[in-house]
Amino acid sequence: MISEVTDGVYDLTATELNGGRYRVFLFDGETPTLVDAAFEDTVDVVADDLAELGVDPERLVVTHGDGDHVGGLAALADRFDLETWAPEGTDVGDFEPTHRYGDGDEIGRFTAVHTPGHTESHHSLVDEDAGVAVLGDAVFGADARGLPEGYFVLPTAFYSADLDRADESLGRLLEYDFDVGLVYHGSSVTSNASEKLDRFVNFVGKPE
């Protein structure tokens, strides 16, 4: 299933399991870029979506090493001859990415922001010019936890290596301005995303 989240940015839903959607994001443009790769067995679905859109990707960037984000990495890279980027310290199996990246690195249109907690090497990707941030699993859409969509929540401790650190690292994203915040679980936030994240981090009554 394909949906255009904002101009030139597409949510490619690779599969739905146990009530959840697992997705890949496509940024069309001068260098068409996939962010994350879903599962090994969803590569054909992603490829079919790209064919429907008439886009040949040139780059794939991984936010972190969970199986629903890197499972299809090797097969997508091989099928489309992609330039690939993975965070330093992220296990992507036997696959060797073209590049490793770290905090503050520029990857095409994106600035990488280290947001550890969900995993140690987790990074978010911010395109301030377009006003879009790929937040990976640093946050979920609120509806993933049964709340109204349009807002963010933290992943549960069950899905986080260090929930306290995940909470703390969100403050690093407040240095950037973006209207759209893309997430992989629950619904993405498509308006005033950085302001909503600020209100989540700096909640009323937060201890100094």
Side-chain angles (χ1 to χ4, degrees), residues 1 46 87 113 124 207:
M1 184 170 65
V46 175
V113 183
S124 301

Side-chain angles (χ1 to χ4, degrees), residues 8-22:
V9 180
Y10 298 89
D11 174 338
L12 311 182
T13 295
T15 190
E16 297 187 30
L17 295 171
N18 302 319
R21 293 171 60 186
Y22 294 85

Side-chain angles (χ1 to χ4, degrees), residues 118-190:
H118 176 69
T119 66
E120 174 57 33
S121 60
H122 186 284
H123 283 69
S124 301
L125 302 167
V126 182
D127 177 358
E128 274 198 295
D129 288 342
V132 181
V134 184
L135 301 175
D137 286 348
V139 285
F140 287 180
D143 55 325
R145 300 294 307 276
L147 300 171
E149 64 180 67
Y151 298 90
F152 299 113
V153 293
L154 278 168
T156 65
F158 182 81
Y159 293 114
S160 302
D162 186 335
L163 188 59
D164 286 341
R165 196 170 185 207
D167 191 0
E168 181 181 345
S169 71
L170 294 181
R172 307 198 70 241
L173 291 165
L174 302 184
E175 301 172 20
Y176 302 89
D177 185 36
F178 47 92
D179 196 48
V180 175
L182 303 176
V183 299
Y184 287 85
H185 304 287
S187 298
S188 294
V189 175
T190 57

